[in-house]
Amino acid sequence: MLLVVTYSRRARETLRNACRAHDETVVRRFGRAALLRETEYAAFLACRFRERHAEDVQIQRTEPFNEFADAPDAVREAAAAYEERDSPSTPYDKFAAGTEHPQASEMRGQEL
């Protein structure tokens, strides 16, 4: 997919109008940003945004996050266990202390 992010009022207006006119190309719209299907037409629209608004538009190619292929088992297991904790107000670091679950500080430093 293509992620288009706008940084000015005029660029947001152009993005909003394009999303309305070409809804078959839009996967999701987030106000200042939109995800476009990875098609040549979406690339055409994204290039038009850049031509018209230059640095007020950022375009990134993205790929969906597959939690089973992209996240380690320990991370998925920790997330599941944390969501099933007894007290919803317990912060993760306190929850993970003394367990086999990874510490938040460890996870912050690891690339996926």
Side-chain angles (χ1 to χ4, degrees):
M1 287 184 275
L2 299 178
L3 174 65
V4 179
V5 181
T6 59
Y7 296 103
S8 71
R9 177 175 276 170
R10 293 192 67 207
R12 282 192 305 273
E13 185 177 310
T14 300
L15 179 65
R16 181 178 56 247
N17 291 340
C19 287
R20 286 180 184 157
H22 308 286
D23 64 337
E24 74 285 350
T25 303
V26 179
V27 174
R28 184 125 190 235
R29 192 164 162 265
F30 305 99
R32 292 181 178 257
L35 279 172
L36 306 179
R37 297 189 193 291
E38 195 163 332
T39 64
E40 288 184 2
Y41 192 70
F44 167 76
L45 291 174
C47 289
R48 280 188 52 213
F49 299 148
R50 288 286 295 190
E51 284 296 318
R52 182 176 293 177
H53 300 289
E55 64 273 351
D56 286 342
V57 174
Q58 178 182 353
I59 304 165
Q60 294 290 320
R61 184 178 234 167
T62 66
E63 62 183 65
F65 175 73
N66 180 334
E67 65 191 80
F68 299 104
D70 299 333
D73 291 341
V75 170
R76 287 194 325 276
E77 291 166 7
Y82 184 59
E83 284 305 308
E84 293 183 17
R85 66 194 181 278
D86 293 331
S87 175
S89 61
T90 303
Y92 181 76
D93 287 329
K94 186 174 181 182
F95 169 81
T99 69
E100 293 182 12
H101 298 303
Q103 297 297 312
S105 59
E106 295 172 5
M107 291 189 287
R108 285 186 186 101
Q110 295 296 322
E111 296 282 330
L112 281 181

